[in-house]
Amino acid sequence: MVESTLTEPFDLVLNEQFSLENCSFFDEHDAVIFSSLTQETLLCTLPVLVFLENLNEHGNISEALRLLPSEHIYVKELLNQLVQMRILTPRYN
Amino acid sequence: MLSKSYTLQTGPFTVSLESSISLVKNYIQQHYSSCMTNTSDDHFIDYHLGVHHGPLYRRLLAPQAEFRLNHRVPFKPLPLSQAHAMFEWGLNWTITSSANQYFIIHAAVLEKNGQAIIISAAPGSGKSTLSAYLATQGWRLLSDELALIDPVTMQVYGTGRPINLKNQSIELMKNYYPEADFSPIAKDTHKGEVCLLKAPEASIANSHTPATPSLLLFVQYTPDEKCHIEKVPPAKSLIEIISNTFNFGLLNQLGFDIAKKLINNTQAYYLEYNSFSLARDAIDSVMKSPRGLQ
């Protein structure tokens, strides 16, 4: 479960309209994620792509987050960015 | 002042232009003489453009020119002395805001032996100047401003239009082109001094012929640095190309698919240059090597 400034607790899940296969690109070092909902792109490291793949496969953000570097600010910024791009969407409990 | 009408074939576009301004009429006669075409009434015209005098009350003190697209005036007028440059800027705007059958990159395109280089760079990085030079070195210039990628064939089209030179590059190019190919200089524009250089005849004659992109080049003119070329990784190239594409947001998923294909089909390099001949040699060496420089 992700803490936020919102009063209600929520999980983050992949937006149903986001297709990881169609909206990603990667080379040996970096990945590009594209959101067809906001037309934004994000250049990121490969672990971010692996995180999204795991979230896509298992739907469990806690498990998927283990793959990301542990720096709290980095993860929080990344999740915020993916929410803004509407790749991740909050699911309220 | 009598209006004169022209029909111009510029790359894949047929453009009708009407103007009552002597500066524009002389410019078209000089720079587009090989693009003029006679069309029958049923020939499809892509764009109906006009460049005319501004409001009557301004003519005595500060005469102006206004650009028209389909008889509408989309921009504020500019000083009359910039009328010919305004035509070029207006036509660029018209194409980039409506030719969405193409993936349109803000980039120069040149071709040799069927292989095209797409030179993408921020304004003022030396893209047009390098293109103008390469066009004198056996490269065919397709465009110094717009790379038009066909989403189906992935071939790149240009328009064979004049090269937009700015500030110091105007004098530099006088070493390579005859005086008659340079337009009057438009002064005090938002880009400084602007001069339009007539595209080489071979470029105009083959402006409708596309080429296969094989090299993406991100350039920067750096007078105090040595010439330097290095590979750009695919993911970073993709981001760079997308940020220089006019209609990426509009094409959306199709745009992302085209950009990915373009990156997969090409090598990408970053070139810093301070010498035209060294830049040319660096580009030639990359083009000759099937897998690029490692």
Side-chain angles (χ1 to χ4, degrees), chain B residues 29 50 52 96 113 125 157 183 207 217 266 288:
Chain B
Q29 295 283 1
H52 292 285
T96 55
N113 302 325
S125 305
Y157 288 80
S183 77
S207 72
L217 201 59
T266 54
K288 277 178 194 157

Side-chain angles (χ1 to χ4, degrees), chain A residues 21-27 29-37 39-43, chain B residues 233-236 238-239 242 248-250 252-257 259-261 263-264:
Chain A
E21 189 184 347
N22 293 337
C23 299
S24 63
F25 178 88
F26 60 93
D27 58 29
H29 304 289
D30 297 306
V32 177
I33 315 288
F34 167 66
S35 166
S36 59
L37 292 168
Q39 290 82 49
E40 290 171 281
T41 49
L42 175 69
L43 179 67
Chain B
K236 286 184 177 146
L238 180 64
I239 287 285
I242 286 172
F248 178 77
L250 198 139
N252 207 348
Q253 183 68 53
L254 176 63
F256 190 66
D257 294 342
K260 280 199 297 185
K261 267 192 216 169
I263 297 299
N264 285 330

Side-chain angles (χ1 to χ4, degrees), chain A residues 66-83:
Chain A
R66 282 186 201 164
L67 294 155
L68 285 172
S70 57
E71 293 88 0
H72 179 70
I73 293 172
Y74 172 74
V75 172
K76 198 170 174 183
E77 279 181 0
L78 171 70
L79 294 179
N80 276 337
Q81 197 152 7
L82 292 172
V83 169

Side-chain angles (χ1 to χ4, degrees), chain B residues 78-97:
Chain B
L78 288 177
L80 189 64
S81 60
Q82 299 177 14
H84 57 315
M86 190 186 206
F87 163 66
E88 295 294 346
W89 297 330
L91 180 52
N92 282 342
W93 175 82
T94 301
I95 292 170
T96 55
S97 56

